Amino acid sequence: MEFIIEHQLNVMLILSGICFAIAVCGIFSDSSKVKKHYLFIMDMAAAIMMLSDRAAYIYRGDTSTIGFWMVRISNFLVFFLTLIVIVCFNGYLIELLRSNNPTRQVPKRLLINKFILLAGVILLVVSQFTGLYYTFDDQNRYQRSVGYMICYMIPLIVWIICISILVQRRRDFNRRLFVALILFCTLPIVGSVAQYFLYGISLTNILVTLLAVFLRVVELDTARYELEQADIREKELTARQQESMQRLFEQTATALVNAIDAKDTYTHGHSARVAEYSKKLAEMKGKTPHECDVIYYTALVHDVGKIGVPESIINKDSRLTDEEYEIIKQHPSMGVQILSSISEFPELNIGAHYHHERYDGKGYPEGLKGEEIPEMARIISVADAYDAMTSKRSYRDPIPQQKVREELVKGTGTQFDPEYARLMLHLIDEDLEYQMSEREDIRKLDEKNELTVTEYKSKVSEGILLTPYITTITASVMSDEEASGAFPAPCLILFDSLDGRVHTDKKEKKDLNYFEYGEITYDLKAVTAGARKIQTQISNKGSEKIRKQGDFIIEAVRIDDHALIRIYGRKRSAEFIIALPDSARYLYIGLTGEHCRYTDIDTEKSEKEAPADYIPRIAEKISYIAGAPTGDIPNLQIDGYRYAHSKGIVIKDGLSISFHAKCLPTARLVWHCPCIDIFCSDNGKVNGPNFRDLAFMRFDGEFWESDPGCHADLNVKKTDSFRGWEDWKQFNRDGYDSTVTFRVEDNKITIITSNDGISVHNVATLTGIDRPVYAALTGDQVTLTDIRIKQAAD
């Protein structure tokens, strides 16, 4: 207690300084004008009260003239300013209640407080002449009088009224402000009781000042919080408005697209697919999310000009005449006219206007060339061409994806921007399940997983591709209804074609490289066609999993040039080992038969590959490199995409690799050619320890980076000796000698080669690769023989 008495003058001085400072700071707060006024006056009054209380202690007992007046004035100010602080608090509380809940009236008790406090001021003035509250002795020292308790009772009544209102209206305040207000009312009461017994300590005045500071801090923090919440609400409102505008725009764009689809029954969904493909290409190029969205919507309405083209032309089921084609060529200009009025999205008409421009300048309507064509239009052009080829048209079925890929390769640098054509090719290579296509059920199983076949092979399901992952097919088969109970004769067709479907038309067979290996009939017999051999083993033991007559299970797997098919019935089963003519072609199973109805068809693939020796070999592997000259490393027969690799060769400046290349008899596409892998690993082997696949180059000019540490720059030119892609494929089938040279400068590897008019000068820029980099020969359906390696120092 002695410590407090000794240092209370310093405490008073510090508190007065804090009150002055916080009063000035409060002027710039975000509180309402009325609340700021009340709190400013409260803080100033508390600051002056502290200085007055301090002066009263300093001049206590000073009998000089200055001491005489200072003691009287300072004591009066202490009592008067205490009432002013309470008056400001009462007014602040009224304003809080009005602003926090305008629908409720302010309690009348707070108005009564005003009269009580006015009475307190009047009594204080009267006490100056009557000595009601205090007097001064001969030594000029303050002395309490008999009416001293009255000056405590007036604030006490006001505090109690305020407390009752705060408790009643507590829901109108946030938690922190409510606590501050309750403390402001209760602590002075506690302090007043304590000060009655602790004479000589200004406990009540110090508490009131501290609480005034605390209330100001809470008010500032509350104002900041309310401002933040208002800002959040404003942002949320803006976001909702933007979302609403976005939805309105999407609905408008969708309405335009639906209008196009309504006119052209054969391009239903075309615009939406082109938009998805365009967005994927933009993402692969590293565009921002906003840029990708802009490209998406631009692509979505790229064909809006077709609204102005007559339906008779759009839906014509044969090739267009020259006059009709000229009318079709007007749809980009019509699209610009339709979209130019949408000022908020000026980019929209770019796709509509320029998506038929060609990279070589032979497109329309402006005949722009190369990068003169806006980038968005170059993206949409690739996506548009891809979807047009993979979708059904009135005059043709969808083109198989492998053929589409070949057309993109052929059009790279002529019809299409090489960079975006390359990215689209990469999308195709990743689309192993052919999801990037018009999703239409063409000779597929219907939604009930059923297939009905009346006449022999009149319908065949879409092919089920066999891979090293065991495929399990379950189904039930019964007589078709039209056969009036005729004995069902299910059948499996083993085949390959570019579109994974069975074909009977001669032209389709040729165009789609259709090849039939054989059939497995209902009586578990095999009919060999293109397969080298089919070995059959029949057992009279069926599967315990089969519960009823007509159900069956097929397990099928293909490893290299052999396939294994097991068929389980209720009482019988059979195993068929098929020796394929090569490892290059695909193998599909098609469900068909005669007078049969398949139901409950389901397919499932295992998650792990079957072991390499899972199928017993019944025929020797066909070799196309037997007897060929051997160079520095073993010859390679590559039956499929990167099926085999040469050993790794360390890449140094001046490295030269020469070999004789020849496509396999099954090769049919542009990229059935030699390839080079650029990689690093601990043992210099592809897929070795710590293997990193850096880049991959095909001799048709394609070049891919496969690792973030590598950037591939494509530089492929067609020289005057290039006679066209069909001649180039024949050149590869005939066989040729090739040489690949490597140039190394710092972190750049340049790969140089030339073959039948295709000049390749591709550059791989490596980053963060601090170990040897290797090259390995590989390819797709090609043989590489007489491989010679020459380093610069050799």
Side-chain angles (χ1 to χ4, degrees), residues 239-390:
R240 285 195 296 270
Q241 290 174 339
Q242 289 176 343
E243 289 175 1
S244 178
M245 288 292 293
Q246 182 72 11
R247 283 195 299 271
L248 179 61
F249 171 72
E250 289 176 3
Q251 290 167 1
T252 303
T254 302
L256 289 171
V257 171
N258 290 339
I260 302 168
D261 288 346
K263 290 194 69 172
D264 188 353
T265 56
Y266 282 97
T267 60
H268 184 78
H270 167 72
S271 297
R273 292 191 297 272
V274 171
E276 288 291 343
Y277 302 154
S278 298
K279 185 176 181 179
K280 286 181 181 179
L281 292 174
E283 290 171 344
M284 293 172 70
K285 184 63 175 174
K287 301 292 183 183
T288 65
H290 173 70
E291 290 172 327
C292 292
D293 287 340
V294 170
I295 289 169
Y296 174 86
Y297 290 113
T298 302
L300 189 64
V301 294
H302 76 283
D303 261 347
V304 70
K306 286 186 177 179
I307 292 174
V309 178
E311 289 187 33
S312 59
I313 295 178
I314 289 179
N315 291 314
K316 187 176 180 181
D317 58 1
S318 59
R319 297 284 181 179
L320 300 177
T321 65
D322 291 344
E323 292 78 11
E324 291 168 336
Y325 183 59
E326 288 301 318
I327 294 174
I328 281 286
K329 286 170 66 175
Q330 294 175 15
H331 81 270
S333 300
M334 295 178 187
V336 173
Q337 293 176 14
I338 294 171
L339 298 173
S340 59
S341 60
I342 306 179
S343 57
E344 293 296 322
F345 297 92
E347 304 93 344
L348 289 182
N349 61 30
I350 293 176
H353 195 187
Y354 300 110
H355 70 278
H356 279 296
E357 299 288 355
R358 286 173 55 103
Y359 199 74
D360 58 7
K362 297 179 181 179
Y364 65 88
E366 305 293 340
L368 301 182
K369 183 178 181 180
E371 295 190 1
E372 294 175 354
I373 307 168
E375 186 179 27
M376 279 195 291
R378 302 200 304 270
I379 294 172
I380 295 169
S381 174
V382 176
D384 183 43
Y386 174 82
D387 189 71
M389 288 187 282
T390 56

Side-chain angles (χ1 to χ4, degrees), residues 1-11 200-201 206:
M1 187 62 65
E2 292 179 0
F3 178 83
I4 296 175
I5 294 173
E6 182 181 351
H7 292 90
Q8 74 172 336
L9 295 181
N10 294 330
V11 171
I201 301 176
I206 291 173

Side-chain angles (χ1 to χ4, degrees), residues 106-127:
V106 176
K108 293 181 180 179
R109 284 166 289 172
L110 289 176
L111 302 178
I112 294 173
N113 277 351
K114 291 183 178 181
F115 293 104
I116 295 173
L117 291 168
L118 179 61
V121 173
I122 294 171
L123 287 173
L124 176 62
V125 174
V126 170
S127 73

Side-chain angles (χ1 to χ4, degrees), residues 490-662:
C491 174
L492 302 182
I493 299 179
L494 313 179
F495 69 97
D496 176 33
S497 69
L498 290 177
D499 63 350
R501 299 185 180 107
V502 171
H503 295 278
T504 55
D505 181 80
K506 286 185 178 181
K507 187 176 184 304
E508 288 183 352
K509 284 185 174 182
K510 181 180 178 181
D511 292 343
L512 299 172
N513 297 109
Y514 181 75
F515 184 87
E516 196 164 302
Y517 300 103
E519 296 179 15
I520 298 175
T521 62
Y522 73 95
D523 53 357
L524 301 180
K525 292 182 179 180
V527 178
T528 304
R532 286 187 285 161
K533 183 180 180 182
I534 300 180
Q535 179 177 292
T536 305
Q537 183 176 345
I538 298 176
S539 170
N540 290 323
K541 184 178 180 180
S543 172
E544 296 179 354
K545 297 179 181 178
I546 296 175
R547 302 299 182 189
K548 63 179 181 178
Q549 189 69 29
D551 289 358
F552 64 87
I553 299 173
I554 299 174
E555 291 179 355
V557 64
R558 183 258 179 88
I559 301 174
D560 292 333
D561 62 346
H562 274 56
L564 173 63
I565 298 175
R566 294 191 179 104
I567 302 177
Y568 299 95
R570 188 179 182 187
K571 297 181 179 180
R572 300 176 70 198
S573 62
E575 178 180 278
F576 302 89
I577 299 176
I578 303 102
L580 306 174
D582 51 69
S583 301
R585 292 186 180 92
Y586 289 162
L587 171 59
Y588 293 92
I589 290 179
L591 303 180
T592 184
E594 182 179 18
H595 302 315
C596 58
R597 179 168 171 251
Y598 294 91
T599 60
D600 302 323
I601 303 173
D602 184 51
T603 61
E604 183 178 336
K605 280 190 178 181
S606 63
E607 296 181 356
K608 294 183 178 181
E609 287 191 28
D613 58 354
Y614 185 76
I615 305 175
R617 180 169 287 278
I618 61 172
E620 293 297 321
K621 184 178 179 66
I622 294 178
S623 174
Y624 294 99
I625 58 176
T630 303
D632 298 328
I633 59 176
N635 295 335
L636 290 174
Q637 177 175 316
I638 309 160
D639 293 320
Y641 176 58
R642 298 167 87 171
Y643 274 19
H645 294 80
S646 72
K647 75 167 192 175
I649 305 162
V650 177
I651 298 177
K652 296 180 181 179
D653 187 38
L655 169 66
S656 175
I657 306 174
S658 60
F659 53 87
H660 182 78
K662 185 175 182 179

